Amino acid sequence: TRFVITNERSGAVGKVVVWSGVNGGSRGNAHGRFDSDPISPRPGQFQVGDVLTIHCCPTITVTSVDHAFGTRVLGQYFNFFSDEATQEFVGTRFVITNERSGAVGKVVVWSGVNGGSRGNAHGRFDSDPISPRPGQFQVGDVLTIHCCPTITVTSVDHAFGTRVLGQYFNFFSDEATQEFVGTRFVITN
């Protein structure tokens, strides 16, 4: 999974990988570093207090609302082309706003259309806070994706010692939501 974020202090842009645990870091419950695309990891890239803003694909356009379960669930599921929402969202849960209805809730998304007539991925609300039910989605609906707004760097030390000080960043994963831990995403640092 890859996401775009901005380090508000330095302005650099690059893919990062994030793991659970701090691996020798002094504060936080997760850690990460640049992933060499396009920035190679090196000491000094992160500082305590850096704010990393996560950016997501802004919208998904619903291409069909049919499903393998038949007409009893028409509009409960939405189908779309995953290249539009970028492939990294497929297989995950994230918050959307349906711009037509104003509904805001967490959705779950899978690859394939599972009986849908148009698209290469599908999804539905995930009961947080909206339970899935027929009629929630219509062809042409625009779904705006919400992201975790920021990760705050809590320490920059690592089990590898002072030779990598500032190459890794540590943070509390509840701030970035647990969904991002164990993934790779792009940041602007």
Side-chain angles (χ1 to χ4, degrees):
T1 306
R2 301 170 197 279
F3 298 93
V4 176
I5 72 175
T6 301
N7 183 322
E8 302 300 335
R9 176 187 54 83
S10 67
V13 179
K15 194 173 296 172
V16 297
V17 58
V18 175
W19 300 273
S20 61
V22 291
N23 200 17
S26 58
R27 191 156 183 256
N29 63 5
H31 72 288
R33 65 162 169 76
F34 281 117
D35 197 33
S36 300
D37 187 10
I39 300 172
S40 295
R42 68 180 193 283
Q45 293 170 319
F46 300 98
Q47 297 177 11
V48 173
D50 279 357
V51 175
L52 313 177
T53 302
I54 301 171
H55 300 261
C56 295
C57 181
T59 62
I60 291 172
T61 300
V62 175
T63 55
S64 64
V65 295
D66 45 349
H67 192 273
F69 295 148
T71 56
R72 67 184 172 86
V73 297
L74 193 63
Q76 181 171 324
Y77 291 83
F78 60 90
N79 302 293
F80 65 100
F81 287 103
S82 67
D83 57 343
E84 194 174 327
T86 68
Q87 191 60 35
E88 61 257 14
F89 289 102
V90 175
T92 67
R93 290 172 165 77
F94 51 91
V95 176
I96 59 105
T97 297
N98 184 327
E99 299 300 335
R100 176 189 51 80
S101 68
V104 177
K106 189 175 282 187
V107 294
V108 58
V109 173
W110 301 273
S111 61
V113 290
N114 202 14
S117 57
R118 189 158 183 255
N120 62 9
H122 72 290
R124 64 162 168 73
F125 279 118
D126 195 35
S127 301
D128 185 10
I130 301 171
S131 295
R133 66 184 197 309
Q136 292 171 317
F137 299 100
Q138 297 177 8
V139 173
D141 278 356
V142 175
L143 312 178
T144 300
I145 299 171
H146 299 235
C147 294
C148 302
T150 62
I151 292 172
T152 299
V153 176
T154 55
S155 67
V156 293
D157 43 352
H158 192 273
F160 295 150
T162 57
R163 66 184 173 86
V164 297
L165 193 63
Q167 181 172 327
Y168 291 83
F169 59 90
N170 301 294
F171 63 99
F172 287 103
S173 66
D174 57 342
E175 194 175 332
T177 76
Q178 197 59 34
E179 296 156 24
F180 290 104
V181 175
T183 65
R184 297 169 192 262
F185 48 93
V186 177
I187 68 162
T188 304
N189 180 352

